Amino acid sequence: MLERIRALREAFDAALPAATDAEAIEALRVRFLARKGEVTGILRGLGQLAAEERKEVGKAANELRQRVQSGIDQALEQLKAQPADERHVDITLPGRRPWRGGLHPLRQTELRLIEIFQTMGFDLAYGPDVELDDYNFKALNFPDDHPARDLHDTFYIEKDVLLRTHTSPVQVRTMERLKPPVRVITPGRVYRCETIDASHAAVFHQLEGLYVDERVSMADLKGTLAAFARSLFGARVGVRFRPDFFPFTEPSVEFAFSCAFCGGKGCRVCKNSGWIEIGGAGMVDPEVFRAVDYDPERFTGFAFGLGIERIAMLLYEIPDIRFFFENDLRLLEATW
Ligand code: FA5
């Protein structure tokens, strides 16, 4: 037994100088002193020895235990005292990258749209989310109790105060402020008490455009929207205009872009039509000009309002509008 203790001491003395990092020191501790360690094993076996032998072996084993313990303590002390770059740290390894946030795909889309229209000469204008009935409806030629109001399921705050249902009230606010020529776009959040599905949300974003001057025509509207579609989706995108109705434009159209998912052949996303509705547009109704004191005999203008989510769905090939609001990292990372 004494022989074994001596061999262990020699093994420990030989191994200690090589244990220069925390991991190697811990390995020594486990090998000699842990519950199943070699020194612990000897100490445990003392009970089975004859009384005289026990005394001698016990003494030697305890000395070895102390030697190992103090050797390990010293090695740990030394390790702590060493400067960090000598502690076997590979300082050439690249550091851990901090987590970097990105812009939400809707914000990225909005910024792209703003850039395209700014290069065409449109300025930016903004209006409030909490809006007066006068701006959201009345000045836009929605008479009281007119059924067109039912198209917008409105969240009312008070009788004449509401969450705007579209960005069109900013047209009125802008024309009250500026004299023609006026060329603005107004991005923003809008609210409708809608049934939510793959292409409808209750809170979503629109971008409104307004151009008023002498001799602005429907051809200018079509050319502007077609140029916009091509800047976003390339020369092959199709743009379709169909008659529609809005109280504040006459004539009015709805416009659609060919479906980016199937190239216009028809698929689940475009409900097999090959087209995705992007927005409404038209020539500003003379009634709206009268409400803001513009002379309808002298000025004409076009306006359009498009859904930013619809464009983002096409750009990033996202088949369901609800993904934008779930903050799933797979979507946020894939679109950044
Ligand atoms: C309007 O809101 C008009 N203010 C647009 C307009 C502006 C017409 C200027 C004429 C002149 P509409 O309700 O169709 O129109 O909405 C316009 C676009 O917003 C739609 O084509 C669609 O892209 C988007 N949109 C409408 N409802 C939702 C919804 N619930 N969720 C997501 N996008 C929507």
Side-chain angles (χ1 to χ4, degrees):
M1 196 51 103
L2 286 173
E3 189 50 38
R4 193 160 153 231
I5 291 174
R6 200 163 51 81
L8 272 181
R9 190 174 58 219
E10 278 168 16
F12 177 73
D13 288 351
L16 186 62
T20 51
D21 61 30
E23 217 173 300
I25 297 171
E26 174 61 8
L28 276 187
R29 192 192 66 78
V30 170
R31 177 176 164 197
F32 290 95
L33 297 183
R35 215 148 47 88
K36 291 187 180 157
E38 302 198 51
V39 181
T40 319
I42 293 176
L43 287 167
R44 268 215 197 111
L46 287 178
Q48 275 133 41
L49 299 178
E52 280 146 52
E53 208 187 349
R54 190 188 309 156
K55 211 170 155 196
E56 205 178 348
V57 172
K59 191 167 168 252
N62 267 318
E63 272 169 17
L64 176 59
R65 190 177 59 80
Q66 274 163 19
R67 185 186 186 93
V68 171
Q69 186 64 62
S70 70
I72 286 176
D73 289 348
Q74 256 176 34
L76 285 172
E77 281 303 310
Q78 263 172 26
L79 185 67
K80 257 198 242 158
Q82 265 174 14
D85 56 359
E86 286 175 20
R87 273 188 231 159
H88 293 264
V89 173
D90 183 351
I91 56 169
T92 64
L93 281 175
R96 287 200 192 114
R97 284 186 185 215
W99 179 258
R100 195 175 62 134
L103 293 178
H104 191 277
L106 287 177
R107 178 70 180 145
Q108 289 179 56
T109 308
E110 182 182 321
L111 290 174
R112 248 173 112 174
L113 304 192
I114 290 174
E115 196 188 343
I116 293 173
F117 283 110
Q118 279 184 330
T119 53
M120 291 193 218
F122 286 82
D123 290 328
L124 268 173
Y126 292 97
D129 287 20
V130 177
E131 187 53 284
L132 298 173
D133 185 288
D134 279 356
Y135 286 110
N136 197 80
F137 289 127
K138 207 184 227 142
L140 288 167
N141 199 30
F142 287 82
D144 286 343
D145 303 323
H146 190 278
R149 287 184 178 227
D150 297 341
L151 297 174
H152 298 222
D153 297 302
T154 311
F155 290 112
Y156 278 93
I157 291 171
E158 291 166 16
K159 186 168 167 290
D160 292 319
V161 184
L162 44 82
L163 291 176
R164 64 178 176 190
T165 57
H166 52 172
T167 40
S168 301
V170 192
Q171 284 186 37
V172 182
R173 289 181 173 274
T174 307
M175 288 190 281
E176 276 183 350
R177 207 163 41 84
L178 305 171
K179 290 283 154 239
V182 167
R183 197 155 39 179
V184 289
I185 48 164
T186 77
R189 192 175 290 165
V190 303
Y191 307 80
R192 289 185 197 175
C193 187
E194 289 250 20
T195 309
I196 292 162
D197 64 23
S199 53
H200 291 87
V203 179
F204 58 100
H205 298 79
Q206 287 187 338
L207 182 135
E208 190 91 3
L210 173 71
Y211 177 29
V212 182
D213 201 348
E214 291 175 3
R215 291 188 293 278
V216 176
S217 72
M218 192 83 180
D220 295 318
L221 169 64
K222 289 180 77 174
T224 303
L225 289 175
F228 160 67
R230 282 197 295 271
S231 319
L232 258 189
F233 297 111
R236 287 222 304 269
V237 65
V239 184
R240 184 187 71 182
F241 295 89
R242 293 206 301 196
D244 201 346
F245 170 77
F246 298 101
F248 40 98
T249 46
E250 180 61 36
S252 303
V253 291
E254 61 129 81
F255 60 98
F257 294 168
S258 53
C259 177
F261 292 89
C262 60
K265 282 194 217 79
C267 67
R268 197 174 61 88
V269 179
C270 60
K271 301 193 180 86
N272 277 323
S273 68
W275 297 93
I276 295 202
E277 185 201 316
I278 301 292
M283 301 306 293
V284 179
D285 193 293
E287 280 307 313
V288 177
F289 282 154
R290 282 190 198 102
V292 295
D293 266 343
Y294 278 15
D295 179 0
E297 299 300 322
R298 184 169 163 213
F299 297 110
T300 53
F302 70 66
F304 60 85
L306 53 83
I308 295 181
E309 278 79 1
R310 300 279 169 88
I311 305 254
M313 286 168 82
L314 290 177
L315 276 179
Y316 297 107
E317 303 196 357
I318 292 166
D320 193 312
I321 199 167
R322 288 166 285 205
F323 291 149
F324 289 124
F325 311 110
E326 284 170 0
N327 285 334
D328 188 322
L329 279 181
R330 285 171 298 178
L331 176 126
L332 297 179
E333 284 172 349
T335 51
W336 178 239

